[in-house]
Amino acid sequence: MTTVLKYQVDPVVRKTPNFKLDQMPRFWFGGDPFRTRMFDALSLTFPMGERYFVESVRALRHKVTDPNLQNRIIDFIQQEAQHGLAHDTMNRIIKQQGIPVDHFLTSIAAHFNYILKNRTTQYNIAMTAATEHLTALMADTFYGKKSTLTDVHPYIRALFAWHAIEEMEHRDVAFDVMQQAGEVSESLRKFALAYTSILIFGFTFYRANIMLKYDGFSTFQRIKMAIKGLPWFFGKQGSLSAMHTPYMNWFNKGFHPNQHPIIRQYQTWVDTLEQTGDPIAAGEAFWHAAL
């Protein structure tokens, strides 16, 4: 059966924008410590994670014979490098708030270095492709409805909007490398998404809890925050629960990321950035254009 791929945009390498992150408040998600630290904990993983993705793709690049994919790999690597730099800046600001960022980063780096050295190229490219699928879905989910990020500070909303746009642009690159050069079995491909989902959300919650402890919240307060805050992410009407169907599509035979539409207001962000040169204005236009 031939898979019909309807939706694809090419990666565009852009200079790392200035999101004025040094001006963001401590609890930038509407003053909500739990939601803020959940996103901050996710941001912690991005610099090391992006470098892991790049190394996983590079390990198989010599086997790719498609010139178009080779060009997209170049752009993918440059985009991921830019993302790492932006989130390095965010992590430095979180560190200034008294959070043990260096401890987290040492642990994250050790994890990625271990699996690069001790797991097969098949395992690493499968994990990379699965994580790229997951982050593209998260990008679409968080920006698909205006109400989801209404309370987020505009500078952070702009940072994640830029990241979301570029996740959409290169969501298929690692997957295509996996298909064309990875020699990855269907069972490993399916396992990768399930396993990386557990790792990402498990470690995000774990690190957010530690961050809240350093913010001065007691164990009882943190438990109350989790009980109240987790349904926003994973409840029946949760922001991440909304991506259940496209998430499960990964497990279908013949799946490809480009079967999913690009986020509806993609062009709004691109056009606004071109017209204004302002990534914050582009982020706001992107968010305002959501349903």
Side-chain angles (χ1 to χ4, degrees):
M1 180 179 69
T2 301
T3 301
V4 178
L5 306 181
K6 293 173 134 184
Y7 310 99
Q8 183 182 34
V9 289
D10 290 326
V12 176
V13 179
R14 306 171 179 93
K15 182 180 178 181
T16 305
N18 179 9
F19 295 104
K20 304 178 182 178
L21 297 179
D22 57 332
Q23 300 178 33
M24 71 180 185
R26 187 182 190 96
F27 301 127
W28 49 260
F29 204 128
D32 184 324
F34 183 81
R35 275 187 272 182
T36 298
R37 290 315 191 192
M38 284 287 284
F39 278 93
D40 285 346
L42 185 63
S43 175
L44 281 171
T45 67
F46 284 143
M48 300 295 182
E50 311 284 20
R51 290 158 198 158
Y52 167 72
F53 302 154
V54 167
E55 291 306 314
S56 298
V57 168
R58 277 180 173 157
L60 290 164
R61 186 176 175 182
H62 65 286
K63 293 185 177 181
V64 173
T65 57
D66 178 0
N68 179 57
L69 180 53
Q70 282 285 1
N71 290 332
R72 284 160 52 222
I73 289 171
I74 293 170
D75 293 338
F76 164 82
I77 289 171
Q78 293 186 61
Q79 281 190 333
E80 294 291 52
Q82 301 285 358
H83 297 172
L85 292 173
H87 287 278
D88 275 336
T89 299
M90 187 169 178
N91 291 346
R92 283 195 296 272
I93 292 167
I94 296 170
K95 180 181 176 180
Q96 292 168 8
Q97 297 171 352
I99 303 300
V101 169
D102 289 342
H103 172 75
F104 289 135
L105 296 182
T106 298
S107 174
I108 293 166
H111 168 73
F112 285 123
N113 288 335
Y114 178 85
I115 58 178
L116 278 172
K117 292 178 181 178
N118 295 282
R119 298 288 183 265
T120 63
T121 54
Q122 288 85 1
Y123 176 93
N124 288 318
I125 195 64
M127 292 293 284
T128 295
T131 307
E132 290 291 335
H133 172 64
L134 182 60
T135 52
L137 291 185
M138 290 167 65
D140 184 81
T141 297
F142 288 133
Y143 284 92
K145 292 183 179 179
K146 189 177 178 182
S147 60
T148 305
L149 300 181
T150 296
D151 296 331
V152 171
H153 191 280
Y155 297 169
I156 300 294
R157 204 159 50 207
L159 167 66
F160 281 102
W162 163 71
H163 199 152
I165 288 292
E166 297 197 351
E167 288 300 320
M168 290 285 166
E169 291 176 342
H170 69 231
R171 64 183 180 176
D172 58 345
V173 174
F175 191 95
D176 285 348
V177 172
M178 177 182 70
Q179 281 198 320
Q180 295 186 26
E183 300 178 353
V184 172
S185 67
E186 276 291 285
S187 59
L188 176 56
R189 180 180 73 82
K190 293 175 181 179
F191 164 81
L193 181 61
Y195 188 51
T196 196
S197 300
I198 293 169
L199 290 179
I200 288 173
F201 296 125
F203 278 116
T204 295
F205 178 72
Y206 166 75
R207 292 180 185 121
N209 180 57
I210 294 176
M211 295 167 85
L212 290 166
K213 180 180 179 180
Y214 275 80
D215 286 323
F217 296 104
S218 67
T219 301
F220 181 66
Q221 288 174 314
R222 299 198 309 273
I223 290 171
K224 285 178 63 178
M225 286 179 183
I227 292 171
K228 180 181 177 182
L230 282 174
W232 186 89
F233 292 94
F234 300 107
K236 188 174 181 181
Q237 302 299 322
S239 56
L240 293 177
S241 303
M243 68 185 197
H244 175 265
T245 298
Y247 175 90
M248 294 303 296
N249 287 346
W250 174 272
F251 300 98
N252 296 338
K253 186 176 181 180
F255 170 80
H256 190 282
N258 292 341
Q259 294 170 357
H260 291 161
I262 296 294
I263 193 166
R264 185 182 58 83
Q265 66 269 36
Y266 168 83
Q267 199 60 43
T268 298
W269 187 92
V270 172
D271 292 344
T272 305
L273 184 67
E274 183 177 349
Q275 292 162 11
T276 67
D278 183 352
I280 295 174
E284 286 301 276
F286 181 64
W287 172 66
H288 277 292
L291 296 174

